[in-house]
């Protein structure tokens, strides 16, 4: 009989503090059967965990510390959130570039069909989004606003021609050609024309009949199992091969019904990776509960909020520092009252966010940091601060010098003459004839 | 110019804000500088521009209309227009649309229309229809060595090879109407599979149809190159349209002027009304009391006038009139205006080029000489959308007059520099002289032996035998 860890976790949930950022850990005796054999830590999908005691107090303390690092933040995860501001050398080559913190994101699902003569592709994207993607976005709605749309593009080819591999009689895209795939497609996507928020693109590519089947190779040369790859801060691409290659006499075009379950699995995994919610570096005795259709556990949401709050506060300080430097450079900028009040509000919100972070109130700290970012952006990008509105100093010189220089020249010459004459007169009385 | 008109849904609360956002987004999508649309060139017409397709309410406060007369169509507008087509320019009819041939023409215009329509005959669901049109006038007479023959290859430098696989209809129509019942005036190759007759704008026309989706079209050759040859030199008498109009500015000097619009009704016996919409920018101050409409020497009173005066730097003039045009007549509409002096930062970098006034719009239901039969939308979507007619006796026409170019009094922009130079010179000269007079000191100077020039002069004088200086 499988150990009742999920049920135990669910039963203990009403006793826990469910506010954002709080964690509850239950220590169970070593011989307890709540946890399966060989597992000493069970992490639930809400904000609780079960830890098996054993091996002494020091071992327990180590286990609790590791658990805190997994379920909450670490120094490296916070540093990764600030990766834009830290010089490159300090973070190491594998520092992940997760999506920047923003007030909203726009997600676009695109179906690329480069060969409409051979394939007629049908995908039930609306149903798939409602069933699989919407629960995840509802969970993430605390972090940002999401909007989803989809499109179908025809005659959109990848930028790279795949090689034909005789052994597997399939076409292969090697790992080092993947960065060149995205650029030609990006022009057709039309993503940033109509949105204020950053766009995440998820492309499903159905290869042409002459290039089927198409597999993506990883660095070692083996085909990737999901046949997909993602690009940080941009989105992901999945190649969907038409199954059972039809005999050459089959009447074109072939009808293709896309298996949305397989596709959405990959896209949702890529979405988690883009946000930085990857699960790795776990010691072997940890067991994580699967979050089900919601896509992410509560404590993973907390991790995201910690990182975003810190990033927001860093953004506010950078923006306000730039504004202060601008004011130093141009001395005669007029700051309107509403710009000044936005700056005050940004500073106050940032300070309250930091205070709340110190006490651990994650939800109010996140809201305060969002307000601080909005106010600081509104103050910094106000059109009344345009540099060109003010007279630069050399224009003032150009206007006043032609007037005052001709007047000043005779005055200076006569002053010089007066000085010379008084000096001569002072010498003369000493020369008495 | 560029024209944008939008009917907003009744659920929109702030129409002006939505209008500004929409014009900015469309400007980004079509690379068309539509972001210059603001309240100084937007109007709310009351009678023209009824909503297309299925429309629920007709509260004209939900309509916005703006024209940018200075905009020019170029390649950057054609590329996003082609991107909206499902096959792009890779297959179907759109392979002909290459920019370097299309813009080598006398007239080019492209449009995008979106309207809600019934999804099927029962009209239980609403779909959105996107209609894209491209109008190009090629002048084959001047580029074809004096012959009026044309072919697809000569016009576009490429031919049609296949139809777009996503299209349900892909046809080419060539107008082969015989004039004055004469046959064999022109010849079209390859021979068309079918011929379609329609009554278009009151005229009976015959079209040769090439259906790209029919498999028999590409049997003989891989590509389709439609060619038209004239058998006999055709007399150049073209029929004048029933309704046409002209507009011009008259007057002299830089203070006043007059805008005149001439509307011609060449129908032999039918009179019909026409709605005229004029949008004049605020810096031409119209005097509405000088508005006169004269037809055949007599005054013609419009049955409906809507006038919204301009507000400086905020709103343009809007004049809408419903005028009855008698049969076979010319109607002249004149209105006088005064030119305003703009602030010096409001002038464009080339102010002596002039300021544009957008074209006026004439909407009319023109009675047709020949009775038209109702055509089903399914059978000929092209003809019902291009030449719409609600009943068989008249067809709807929207005409645009020419835009106007008006000179405004322009200040001399080099004056600030001139003023500075003059003031500084005057001050320096006057002040300098006074200062000199006041502070000059005089002292006695002994006659010197002379400088170098004097000594040289004395040497030359000694040679000449003249007494020295």
């Amino acid at each position: 009989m499988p150990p009742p860890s999920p049920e135990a976790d669910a039963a203990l949930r009403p006793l826990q503090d469910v506010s954002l950022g709080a964690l509850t850990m239950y220590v169970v005796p070593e011989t307890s059967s709540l946890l399966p054999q060989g597992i000493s830590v069970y992490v639930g999908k809400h904000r609780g965990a079960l830890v098996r005691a054993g091996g002494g107090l020091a071992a327990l303390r180590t286990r609790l510390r590791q658990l805190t690092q997994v379920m909450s933040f670490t120094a490296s995860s916070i540093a990764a959130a600030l990766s834009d501001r830290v010089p490159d050398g300090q973070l190491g080559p594998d520092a992940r570039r997760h999506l920047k913190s923003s007030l909203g994101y726009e997600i676009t699902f695109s179906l690329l069909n480069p060969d409409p003569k051979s394939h007629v592709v049908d995908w039930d994207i609306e149903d798939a989004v409602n069933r699989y993607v919407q629960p995840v976005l509802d969970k993430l709605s605390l972090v940002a606003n999401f909007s989803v749309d989809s499109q179908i593009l025809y005659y959109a080819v990848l930028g790279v021609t795949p090689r034909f591999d005789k052994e597997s009689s399939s076409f292969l895209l090697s790992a080092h050609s993947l960065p060149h795939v995205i650029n030609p497609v990006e022009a057709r996507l039309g993503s940033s024309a109509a949105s204020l928020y950053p766009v995440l693109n998820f492309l499903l590519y159905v290869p042409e009949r002459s290039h089927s089947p198409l597999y993506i190779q990883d660095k070692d040369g083996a085909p990737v199992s999901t046949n997909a790859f993602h690009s940080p801060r941009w989105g992901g691409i999945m190649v969907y091969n038409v199954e059972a290659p039809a005999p050459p006499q089959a009447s074109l075009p072939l009808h293709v019904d896309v298996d949305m379950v397989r596709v959405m699995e990959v896209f949702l995994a890529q979405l988690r990776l883009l946000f930085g919610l990857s699960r790795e570096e776990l010691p072997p005795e940890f067991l994580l509960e699967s979050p089900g259709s919601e896509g992410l556990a509560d404590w993973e949401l907390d991790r995201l909020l910690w990182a975003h709050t810190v990033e927001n506060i860093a953004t506010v300080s950078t923006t306000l520092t730039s504004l202060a430097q601008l004011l130093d450079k141009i001395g005669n900028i007029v700051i309107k009252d509403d710009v000044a009040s936005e700056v005050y509000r940004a500073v106050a919100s940032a300070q309250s966010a930091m205070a709340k972070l110190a006490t651990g109130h994650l939800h109010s700290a996140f809201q305060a940091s969002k307000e601080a970012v909005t106010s600081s952006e509104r103050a910094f990008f106000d059109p009344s601060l345009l540099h060109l509105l003010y007279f630069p100093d050399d224009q003032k010189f150009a206007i006043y010098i032609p007037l005052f220089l001709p007047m000043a020249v005779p005055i200076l010459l006569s002053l010089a003459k007066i000085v010379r004459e008084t000096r001569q007169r002072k010498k003369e009385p000493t020369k008495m004839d | 110019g560029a024209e944008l008109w939008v009917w907003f849904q009744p659920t929109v609360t702030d129409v002006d804000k939505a209008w500004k956002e929409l014009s900015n987004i469309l400007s980004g999508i079509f690379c068309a500088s539509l972001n210059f649309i603001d309240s100084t060139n937007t109007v709310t017409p009351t009678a023209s521009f009824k909503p297309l397709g299925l429309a629920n309410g007709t509260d004209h406060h939900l309509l916005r209309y703006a024209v940018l007369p200075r905009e020019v169509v170029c390649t950057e507008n054609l590329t996003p227009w082609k991107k909206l087509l499902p096959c792009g320019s890779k297959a179907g009819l759109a392979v002909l649309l290459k920019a370097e041939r299309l813009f080598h023409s006398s007239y080019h215009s492209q449009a995008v229309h979106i309207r809600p329509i019934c999804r099927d005959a029962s009209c239980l669901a609403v779909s959105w229809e996107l209609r894209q049109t491209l109008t190009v006038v090629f002048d084959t007479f001047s580029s074809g060595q004096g012959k009026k023959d044309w072919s697809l290859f000569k016009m576009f430098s490429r031919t049609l090879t296949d139809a777009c696989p996503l299209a349900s209809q892909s046809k080419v129509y060539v107008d082969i109407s015989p004039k004055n019942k004469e046959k064999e005036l022109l010849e079209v190759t390859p021979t068309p599979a079918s011929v379609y007759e329609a009554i278009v704008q009151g005229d009976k026309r015959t079209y040769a149809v090439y259906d790209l989706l029919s498999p028999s079209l590409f049997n003989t050759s891989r590509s389709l190159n439609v060619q038209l040859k004239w058998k006999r030199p055709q007399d150049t008498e073209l029929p004048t349209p029933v309704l046409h109009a002209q507009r011009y500015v008259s007057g002299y000097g830089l203070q006043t002027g007059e805008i005149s619009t001439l509307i011609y009704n060449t129908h032999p016996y039918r009179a019909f009304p026409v709605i005229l919409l004029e949008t004049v920018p605020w810096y031409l101050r119209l005097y509405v009391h000088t508005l006169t409409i004269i037809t055949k020497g007599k005054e013609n009173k419009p049955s409906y006038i809507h006038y919204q005066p301009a507000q400086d730097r905020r709103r343009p003039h809007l004049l809408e009139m419903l005028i009855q045009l008698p049969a076979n007549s010319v109607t002249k509409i004149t209105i006088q205006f005064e030119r305003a002096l703009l602030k010096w930062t409001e002038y464009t970098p080339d102010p002596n080029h002039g300021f544009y006034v957008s074209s006026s719009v004439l909407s009319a239901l023109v009675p047709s000489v020949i009775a038209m039969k109702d055509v089903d939308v399914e059978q000929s979507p092209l003809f019902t959308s291009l030449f719409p007619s609600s009943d068989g006796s008249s067809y709807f026409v929207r005409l645009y007059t020419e835009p106007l170019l008006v000179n405004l009094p322009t200040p001399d922009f080099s004056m600030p520099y001139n003023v500075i130079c003059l003031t500084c010179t005057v001050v320096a000269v006057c002040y300098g002289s006074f200062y000199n007079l006041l502070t000059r000191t005089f002292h006695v100077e002994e006659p010197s032996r002379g400088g170098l020039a004097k000594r040289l002069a004395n040497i030359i004088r000694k040679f000449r035998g003249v007494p020295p200086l």
Side-chain angles (χ1 to χ4, degrees), chain A residues 220-244:
Chain A
D220 308 320
V224 174
S225 57
T226 52
N227 222 6
F229 70 97
H230 80 279
S231 173
R233 293 194 181 174
W234 185 82
I237 299 185
M238 176 173 174
V239 178
Y240 188 89
N241 287 312
V242 176
E243 289 114 11

Side-chain angles (χ1 to χ4, degrees), chain B residues 76-95:
Chain B
E76 281 98 47
N77 308 128
L78 184 65
T79 312
W81 188 94
K82 281 198 285 190
K83 264 208 246 178
L84 286 178
L85 300 170
C87 286
S89 48
K90 304 268 179 40
L93 292 168
V95 295

Side-chain angles (χ1 to χ4, degrees), chain A residues 117 154-155 187 402-403 411 414, chain B residues 83 90 162 165-166 424 431 435:
Chain A
K117 281 213 183 77
Y154 298 97
Y155 291 104
L403 182 64
I411 296 183
S414 60
Chain B
K83 264 208 246 178
K90 304 268 179 40
D162 57 359
L166 301 160
C424 298
Y431 173 75
Y435 184 81

Side-chain angles (χ1 to χ4, degrees), chain A residues 65-66 68-70 72-80 281 303:
Chain A
R65 194 180 322 124
Q66 279 176 332
T68 321
Q69 284 180 341
V70 165
S72 186
F73 55 87
T74 60
S76 62
S77 75
I78 298 294
E281 307 146 4
R303 275 184 79 117

Side-chain angles (χ1 to χ4, degrees), chain A residues 170-393:
Chain A
S170 62
F171 288 85
L172 294 175
L173 268 181
S174 59
H176 65 260
S177 65
L178 290 178
H180 307 291
V181 162
I182 295 181
N183 259 344
V185 181
E186 174 97 36
R188 302 267 323 254
L189 289 175
S191 43
S192 51
S195 69
L196 303 161
Y197 298 137
V199 182
L200 301 177
N201 296 293
F202 291 102
L203 310 185
L204 184 65
Y205 182 74
V206 179
E208 302 132 315
R209 190 132 190 239
S210 51
H211 283 152
S212 282
L214 180 63
Y215 295 108
I216 297 181
Q217 259 182 340
D218 59 13
K219 288 204 183 58
D220 308 320
V224 174
S225 57
T226 52
N227 222 6
F229 70 97
H230 80 279
S231 173
R233 293 194 181 174
W234 185 82
I237 299 185
M238 176 173 174
V239 178
Y240 188 89
N241 287 312
V242 176
E243 289 114 11
Q249 299 91 5
S251 71
L252 299 176
L254 302 167
H255 201 89
V256 180
D257 254 324
V258 176
D259 180 11
M260 293 310 293
V261 177
R262 222 177 81 201
V263 168
M264 280 301 156
E265 269 178 3
V266 174
F267 281 157
L268 286 177
Q270 286 179 342
L271 183 69
R272 281 179 53 110
L273 284 172
L274 286 168
F275 271 108
L277 299 169
S278 55
R279 289 176 171 198
E280 13 129 288
E281 307 146 4
L282 282 181
E285 38 185 33
F286 279 56
L287 178 65
L288 295 173
E289 185 182 349
S290 145
S293 69
E294 284 185 332
L296 59 155
D298 285 355
W299 50 270
E300 287 179 313
L301 184 65
D302 290 350
R303 275 184 79 117
L304 200 55
L305 285 176
W306 290 114
H308 278 204
T309 313
V310 171
E311 193 179 334
N312 284 346
I313 296 178
T315 312
V316 170
S317 70
T318 318
T319 312
L320 292 179
T321 317
S322 316
L323 185 58
Q325 283 173 347
L326 178 70
L327 293 181
D328 279 339
K329 221 163 60 125
I330 305 178
N332 53 355
I333 280 191
V334 173
I335 301 284
K336 295 203 297 215
D337 281 339
D338 48 354
V339 175
S341 67
E342 292 287 346
V343 173
Y344 283 134
R345 197 177 328 155
V347 171
S349 301
Q351 283 173 337
S352 98
M354 298 229 298
K356 295 206 176 89
L357 270 186
T359 56
H361 293 117
L362 182 56
H363 186 83
S364 35
F366 182 65
Q367 305 287 27
S369 72
K370 270 205 304 199
E371 274 178 30
V373 167
T374 318
S375 301
S376 70
E377 303 254 308
R378 223 180 279 153
F380 187 63
F381 288 111
D382 196 81
S384 69
L385 291 178
L386 275 180
H387 172 86
L388 294 171
L389 289 178
Y390 303 98
F391 283 116
D393 284 334

Side-chain angles (χ1 to χ4, degrees), chain B residues 362-383:
Chain B
L362 293 155
S363 321
L365 272 175
V366 180
S368 85
V369 181
I370 309 175
M372 301 184 287
K373 56 182 188 319
D374 231 352
V375 190
D376 193 16
V377 179
E378 293 291 323
Q379 279 176 358
S380 56
L382 176 72
F383 283 88

Side-chain angles (χ1 to χ4, degrees), chain A residues 116-117 153-156 187-190 193-195 398-399 402-404 406-408 410-412 414-415 417 421, chain B residues 25 28-29 83 85-88 90-91 162-166 420 423-425 427-428 431-432 435 439-441 443:
Chain A
K117 281 213 183 77
L153 295 174
Y154 298 97
Y155 291 104
R188 302 267 323 254
L189 289 175
S195 69
I399 294 179
L403 182 64
F404 290 122
M407 287 205 295
I411 296 183
L412 291 175
S414 60
L415 274 179
K417 205 163 59 150
E421 278 184 5
Chain B
I25 290 178
I29 293 178
K83 264 208 246 178
L85 300 170
C87 286
K90 304 268 179 40
D162 57 359
C164 176
L166 301 160
I420 292 178
T423 319
C424 298
T425 312
V427 166
Y431 173 75
Y435 184 81
T439 57
R440 195 173 296 174
T441 54
H443 42 249

